[in-house]
Amino acid sequence: MGILIYGIINSIVFALIAMGFALVYGISRLPNFAHGAFYILAGFLTYTFLLGLGLNSPTSIILSLIIIAGIGAAVYRFLLIRIRGMEASEIIASLAIGLAIMEGLRFAGFRGKTYTLPVFLEGTVRIAGVPVDFQRLIIIGVGVVLIVVLWLFTHHTKVGLALRAMAQDEGAALMLGIDTDFAALIALALGSVLAGLAAIVILPLGNITVETGYDILINAIAVCIIGGLGSWVGAVIASFILGFAQMLTVYIVGAQWQMVVGLLAIILILIARPSGLLARQKELEERV
Amino acid sequence: MLTQVGPRERRKERLDRGLKVRTEGIYALSSGKEALYLLAPRLTLILGLLILPLLMPNLYWQRVICITGVFGLLSLAFDFLANYVGLICLGGALFMGVGGYITGILNSLFGMPLVATIPAATVVGAVFSTVLLSPCFPLRGIYFAIVTLMYPLAASRIIEALDIFGGTEGMADLDTLPNIWFASYSIIPVLLVSLFALRRLVTEDIGLVLRGLKDNDQAAKASGISITRYKAYSTFIASAIGCFTGAYLVHLYGWAGISLFALDFSILPIAASVIGGMGTLVGPVLGAFILIPLTELLRELGTLRIVFYSLLLAGFIVFNPEGLMTYAQRKYHQFEHWVEV
Amino acid sequence: MAEEVLLQVKNATKSFGGVKAVVDVSLSLFKGEILGMIGPNGSGKTTLVNLITGFVKPDSGEVLFKDKRITGLQPHKIANLGITRTFQIMRPYHSLSAFKNLIVPLYSPRVRRSTGGRLGDRDAVAIDILEEIGFERDAYVPYKIASSLPLGYLKRLELARCIAMRPEIIICDEIFSGLSMAEIATMVPLLEKLQMQGTTIMMIEHRLRELFRLVNRVIVLNFGEKLAEGIPEEVIEKPDVREAYLGTEVDNVRD
């Protein structure tokens, strides 16, 4: 029972982590390898506002989300916009930007295990005999709400449908008068906000370290690859697959294998079924 | 009446220098000047690199030159794979780690001397890496890039989790290279030989086949070329270079550990290639010789080093993707002047 | 014409997702003939070519070359057996010069042994082939980078790449489309010459008038199914073929 409940929590954590990456790739076909850096940056920003400057929590959360959105948008507007469509360059450049942000944070003094965000609510409840703390319940709440809202947005609103259409054929979208650059800018800002939001609800469970940023990036990529890059529903289902796979691995084999699951998942899925476990026939696109 | 006002339209016109035209292709050299035109850049490079270790003030900087040579080779391998075969391999650290661990195991467990371990690690490691990467050969660019980026990360986590080969501690007390002169004068000739050999290779017929693969794999298939085979050949070449550097580095430090799989060994060569000029083979080597000493200067400042080269990499790839060497070649071979349109 | 069957497609079917691209198509290609394949856009012609040359694997059915099953073989193996193709969307090696483009097929196992091993041996062969196909030998054209060549030359380069393989069968996928009458006029004798030398040719074409001057037989595809087969003049008179082609060039063909 514990495994089931914590498996679900773990899966929702994965969904939250991957959502930003999936959104950016889904709309603008841009693999944002700076995702982990945005996540960890949001954590440190909130920490600074909350505990360094002593602001109250809503203000610090909103402030850091605004800043992280601005950074995401700026990275697109001033850097990535020039290399749109050159996939290798996009990966290398965003990875380098992410590295610079993360190692810059480390250089600025954010290292060691002393940085923690406070939990929103203290206390635990028992669900079916398993103790679950309120913070994890909040994660589930935020996660489920975001999944539903984003699904409704992309599948049932005009703007969302337009964005998805754009992802499928940018040339056609351009001809129909959709400003694809602006849409990508918004996508990156939104994706960064999602990364920040995930950080703010998840990080109180542990310490904020720069290393987390790398793991977040790997997990986000793993979820998106398993679900099929650019697929929404796929990403959500994939986070449950990966969430439980990781949970069981840790439970059966040992905690040191935690990150290996995601990494091996990426490698094996890409080799065996590059379009993802759940994707429809797209094979011709990925393979030569 | 002339109604058009404002700045006159003009564009830059580039013309090949007569000397370049006379010395390239099928024409025979007819004067010392022409020979010099061809030889001067090559001789400068060869002599420059050979003299470099002699100019270093102390042991520390001599070691930096050795490490720079290592990165030069890794950059060369990256450039060859990315721009002549079309395999964008973001995991240079994989080759490094495989070569390093093999030499470490051979040296510490079997007690083989380093004259045997380095060649063995080069060949065995190259075969091993090629086999590891072979399932990825059918993957399209972005997917190949992602999967190769993950390989070294997975390798280090697996070694950590299994706690084999010394686990996180690594294998210490391995044989070291006899002295610094041996160290520097073994890596630099290897670098030069690899550079000129690869340059020769890409103009040979088999090199043209590889470039054909990069330009258009479908057409290559229709021409009876087995994509997997030629990708395997070229991965073998690149990983042999990478594994050699891994083995060399392990014997330079006398230590092998999971930091051989570190992201540094994947990203720095890419940065060197982008800065030096992708697709020129010489460029990435020169890029390494510019970038690595610069980052060494920052080493005391901790991770600022990584910030520095990451930003440089992002900046070059976004704003100046042609790199320094392409620029230099253009200046050497062509006149430029503005013409009014 | 000797009625020796060189290539045979038996009941080939292929669908992508829900779309049936090729449905139960059978055809035979006789040695030394030029076979035309026509049909409206989206009728499965290119898919059929992909099935024969191994780029796509059929859901069912088989392909026989000289009575040997080649279904499911890798494309490069099929090419080395002697079946080559051009691509509808031209695929030159754009960073190589025109004659270097031919080095790739000349380096294939099929041709490797017959051209010399030293650097430059294949260059001479490549330039000979290009001259044969209409690249002026002493001009700068064969040395130009492929990405800067005009359409007419690119189409010829596609064909040249096939010829360099010394194939038994060449499959041309819309090799005339986009060319001027003058350009086609220079290519027709070339194809006739290839046929005289014993090469079997299969041509997919929309330019019916030019096609019908060349081919001995023609096959009509519509919605992935074989609609008709036979001598061009007879096939085009059939009502269902006319219906499939309604509004296109049918009336112009008869001159």
Side-chain angles (χ1 to χ4, degrees):
Chain A
M1 200 61 205
I3 291 181
L4 184 67
I5 290 177
Y6 276 87
I8 291 174
I9 295 169
N10 203 26
S11 309
I12 302 230
V13 166
F14 273 117
L16 272 171
I17 289 168
M19 223 176 267
F21 189 89
L23 181 91
V24 174
Y25 192 84
I27 292 176
S28 60
R29 287 286 177 269
L30 196 103
N32 177 21
F33 274 51
H35 183 73
F38 289 152
Y39 175 93
I40 214 67
L41 182 60
F44 280 120
L45 277 174
T46 319
Y47 176 87
T48 314
F49 290 133
L50 203 60
L51 301 170
L53 302 176
L55 303 174
N56 62 6
S57 17
T59 327
S60 1
I61 291 173
I62 291 169
L63 260 182
S64 23
L65 288 183
I66 291 173
I67 294 178
I68 205 80
I71 292 176
V75 162
Y76 180 76
R77 178 64 191 77
F78 297 110
L79 295 169
L80 298 181
I81 196 170
R82 292 160 172 268
I83 47 173
R84 269 303 286 288
M86 297 144 75
E87 285 171 332
S89 303
E90 284 171 351
I91 291 185
I92 295 172
S94 61
L95 184 64
I97 293 164
L99 265 178
I101 292 177
M102 286 194 280
E103 298 302 329
L105 281 172
R106 208 200 295 262
F107 177 70
F110 290 103
R111 63 194 128 190
K113 296 215 167 187
T114 49
Y115 301 93
T116 331
L117 287 177
V119 294
F120 296 170
L121 279 172
E122 296 283 352
T124 49
V125 287
R126 289 190 160 266
I127 301 172
V130 185
V132 180
D133 46 311
F134 282 130
Q135 187 64 34
R136 290 197 160 79
L137 290 180
I138 292 173
I139 290 178
I140 294 186
V142 173
V144 171
V145 167
L146 277 180
I147 290 171
V148 171
V149 166
L150 281 174
W151 189 78
L152 286 177
F153 173 70
T154 49
H155 286 73
H156 291 281
T157 64
K158 271 190 180 170
V159 182
L161 287 172
L163 289 178
R164 283 188 17 191
M166 186 191 116
Q168 280 171 14
D169 192 340
E170 193 162 334
L174 269 174
M175 274 186 274
L176 292 172
I178 299 173
D179 186 348
T180 56
D181 267 333
F182 184 69
L185 184 89
I186 296 298
L188 218 74
L190 257 179
S192 320
V193 167
L194 285 176
L197 213 55
I200 290 164
V201 291
I202 296 169
L203 281 175
L205 294 179
N207 293 308
I208 320 176
T209 58
V210 171
E211 286 73 25
T212 326
Y214 293 99
D215 294 350
I216 294 296
L217 175 64
I218 292 168
N219 283 335
I221 295 173
V223 167
C224 293
I225 296 271
I226 295 174
L229 273 175
S231 152
W232 257 106
V233 185
V236 174
I237 298 170
S239 44
F240 276 85
I241 296 174
L242 194 63
F244 275 95
Q246 202 195 53
M247 199 73 201
L248 289 173
T249 313
V250 170
Y251 185 73
I252 297 167
V253 197
Q256 70 271 32
W257 290 92
Q258 195 178 358
M259 285 311 295
V260 179
V261 179
L263 285 164
L264 280 186
I266 298 177
I267 294 175
L268 295 179
I269 297 283
L270 279 184
I271 288 173
R273 249 187 98 96
S275 50
L277 278 183
L278 309 149
R280 284 180 291 274
Q281 186 135 17
K282 283 199 304 182
E283 230 176 292
L284 285 175
E285 275 177 49
E286 285 97 10
R287 282 172 184 264
V288 288
Chain B
M1 286 297 287
L2 205 67
T3 49
Q4 195 185 354
V5 284
R8 263 171 293 182
E9 300 259 340
R10 42 180 219 152
R11 65 184 170 89
K12 209 180 232 178
E13 191 180 66
R14 299 199 179 106
L15 291 170
D16 280 4
R17 288 177 205 275
L19 207 51
K20 173 179 190 268
V21 180
R22 284 204 300 281
T23 50
E24 79 175 1
I26 51 176
Y27 303 98
L29 296 184
S30 61
S31 72
K33 201 177 166 196
E34 288 169 11
L36 189 68
Y37 177 82
L38 284 180
L39 278 177
R42 291 164 175 79
L43 279 180
T44 319
L45 179 79
I46 295 172
L47 293 178
L49 286 188
L50 285 176
I51 291 170
L52 206 54
L54 299 173
L55 302 177
M56 290 300 117
N58 54 34
L59 190 66
Y60 174 75
W61 281 102
Q62 280 172 326
R63 284 201 131 181
V64 170
I65 291 299
C66 297
I67 294 163
T68 310
V70 163
F71 279 105
L73 279 167
L74 285 174
S75 317
L76 192 61
F78 171 78
D79 191 36
F80 169 66
L81 276 189
N83 293 298
Y84 289 93
V85 198
L87 293 172
I88 296 163
C89 176
L90 300 186
L94 176 72
F95 306 147
M96 189 89 196
V98 167
Y101 265 96
I102 289 177
T103 198
I105 293 163
L106 290 178
N107 190 243
S108 71
L109 293 183
F110 300 97
M112 285 167 69
L114 63 87
V115 280
T117 55
I118 294 184
T122 307
V123 176
V124 178
V127 173
F128 186 72
S129 314
T130 311
V131 171
L132 265 187
L133 287 180
S134 58
C136 315
F137 290 152
L139 292 178
R140 210 164 54 98
I142 173 178
Y143 295 91
F144 188 83
I146 294 178
V147 82
T148 48
L149 184 66
M150 297 304 156
Y151 261 115
L153 299 177
S156 63
R157 300 278 173 129
I158 288 173
I159 289 174
E160 215 172 8
L162 287 174
D163 203 21
I164 43 170
F165 312 138
T168 42
E169 299 292 310
M171 293 173 279
D173 295 327
L174 304 175
D175 291 354
T176 49
L177 298 166
N179 59 51
I180 193 67
W181 297 113
F182 182 84
S184 28
Y185 282 105
S186 54
I187 192 89
I188 285 183
V190 171
L191 176 62
L192 287 171
V193 169
S194 315
L195 171 63
F196 284 102
L198 279 183
R199 269 176 64 114
R200 179 69 198 263
L201 179 81
V202 297
T203 51
E204 290 274 352
D205 288 351
I206 184 168
L208 294 173
V209 171
L210 295 179
R211 286 158 72 182
L213 269 187
K214 182 201 171 218
D215 283 355
N216 210 318
D217 40 33
Q218 300 291 317
K221 274 191 203 167
S223 297
I225 299 294
S226 163
I227 293 195
T228 323
R229 170 179 299 180
Y230 285 95
K231 281 187 175 171
Y233 287 166
S234 32
T235 309
F236 180 83
I237 294 171
S239 55
I241 294 175
C243 290
F244 168 80
T245 61
Y248 171 86
L249 203 69
V250 162
H251 286 297
L252 187 69
Y253 288 130
W255 178 81
I258 44 173
S259 65
L260 285 171
F261 288 109
L263 211 50
D264 260 13
F265 293 118
S266 302
I267 305 294
L268 261 174
I270 301 174
S273 305
V274 171
I275 291 166
M278 301 256 271
T280 57
L281 293 179
V282 192
V285 174
L286 292 180
F289 274 85
I290 295 166
L291 188 63
I292 308 300
L294 275 179
T295 61
E296 275 313 310
L297 287 175
L298 294 170
R299 192 173 273 283
E300 289 119 60
L301 294 172
T303 58
L304 191 64
R305 197 174 66 89
I306 306 177
V307 179
F308 167 73
Y309 74 69
S310 311
L311 286 180
L312 212 57
L313 168 58
F316 259 87
I317 208 165
V318 171
F319 296 105
N320 187 9
E322 74 168 10
L324 299 174
M325 192 61 204
T326 320
Y327 177 81
Q329 277 177 342
R330 205 171 64 224
K331 290 287 172 199
Y332 191 69
H333 289 313
Q334 294 177 320
F335 297 112
E336 282 179 36
H337 62 115
W338 290 99
V339 283
E340 278 170 22
V341 183
Chain C
M1 188 152 305
E3 298 285 293
E4 182 193 337
V5 178
L6 196 57
L7 182 90
Q8 216 177 355
V9 179
K10 281 186 180 167
N11 309 99
T13 299
K14 176 74 194 175
S15 50
F16 296 105
V19 187
K20 289 188 169 166
V22 172
V23 187
D24 199 24
V25 172
S26 302
L27 64 88
S28 302
L29 190 60
F30 297 105
K31 191 170 169 54
E33 74 168 339
I34 300 186
L35 174 72
M37 184 149 65
I38 61 173
N41 286 326
S43 58
K45 304 183 298 284
T46 299
T47 308
L48 193 56
V49 175
N50 284 337
L51 286 179
I52 294 173
T53 49
F55 281 83
V56 167
K57 292 193 173 47
D59 297 335
S60 65
E62 55 180 0
V63 184
L64 301 175
F65 177 61
K66 293 181 177 168
D67 296 326
K68 273 198 216 109
R69 209 180 128 92
I70 58 166
T71 338
L73 282 185
Q74 297 267 18
H76 65 90
K77 295 229 168 95
I78 293 177
N80 280 320
L81 287 175
I83 305 177
T84 62
R85 63 173 297 186
T86 68
F87 289 91
Q88 186 180 0
I89 303 159
M90 285 153 297
R91 297 178 183 272
Y93 306 116
H94 45 76
S95 70
L96 302 180
S97 56
F99 79 101
K100 298 269 188 203
N101 263 263
L102 297 192
I103 302 294
V104 181
L106 289 176
Y107 201 78
S108 66
R110 182 179 171 82
V111 199
R112 182 119 48 116
R113 269 160 216 98
S114 48
T115 48
R118 283 184 305 125
L119 186 65
D121 285 353
R122 291 192 183 87
D123 294 6
V125 180
I127 294 202
D128 285 345
I129 294 172
L130 282 182
E131 187 187 26
E132 194 183 344
I133 206 163
F135 281 59
E136 297 79 357
R137 176 184 278 267
D138 293 322
Y140 192 57
V141 199
Y143 305 97
K144 265 182 134 168
I145 295 286
S147 57
S148 66
L149 287 176
L151 182 86
Y153 281 108
L154 282 179
K155 289 270 183 191
R156 274 181 241 184
L157 192 58
E158 281 281 322
L159 191 56
R161 239 176 24 209
C162 288
I163 296 172
M165 289 289 291
R166 296 168 201 190
E168 297 190 46
I169 300 176
I170 297 180
I171 304 177
C172 302
D173 197 347
E174 297 196 16
I175 201 163
F176 290 160
S177 64
L179 295 189
S180 67
M181 294 303 285
E183 282 169 324
I184 291 175
T186 63
M187 286 182 82
V188 168
L190 192 77
L191 290 165
E192 281 170 341
K193 189 175 153 200
L194 279 171
Q195 186 193 17
M196 296 227 310
Q197 288 166 351
T199 317
T200 311
I201 301 173
M202 184 162 140
M203 295 189 73
I204 294 183
E205 206 49 70
H206 278 302
R207 310 273 290 245
L208 299 188
R209 189 202 302 246
E210 291 79 9
L211 182 75
F212 286 0
R213 288 199 186 131
L214 269 168
V215 300
N216 312 98
R217 257 176 352 119
V218 57
I219 284 177
V220 189
L221 288 186
N222 195 22
F223 293 116
E225 289 178 62
K226 190 160 87 173
L227 202 62
E229 179 176 359
I231 300 166
E233 290 74 21
E234 292 173 7
V235 164
I236 213 68
E237 292 300 333
K238 291 190 178 173
D240 43 357
V241 174
R242 295 185 68 97
E243 193 184 334
Y245 256 100
L246 200 69
T248 55
E249 299 178 52
V250 178
D251 287 326
N252 311 339
V253 169
R254 284 179 296 164
D255 283 342

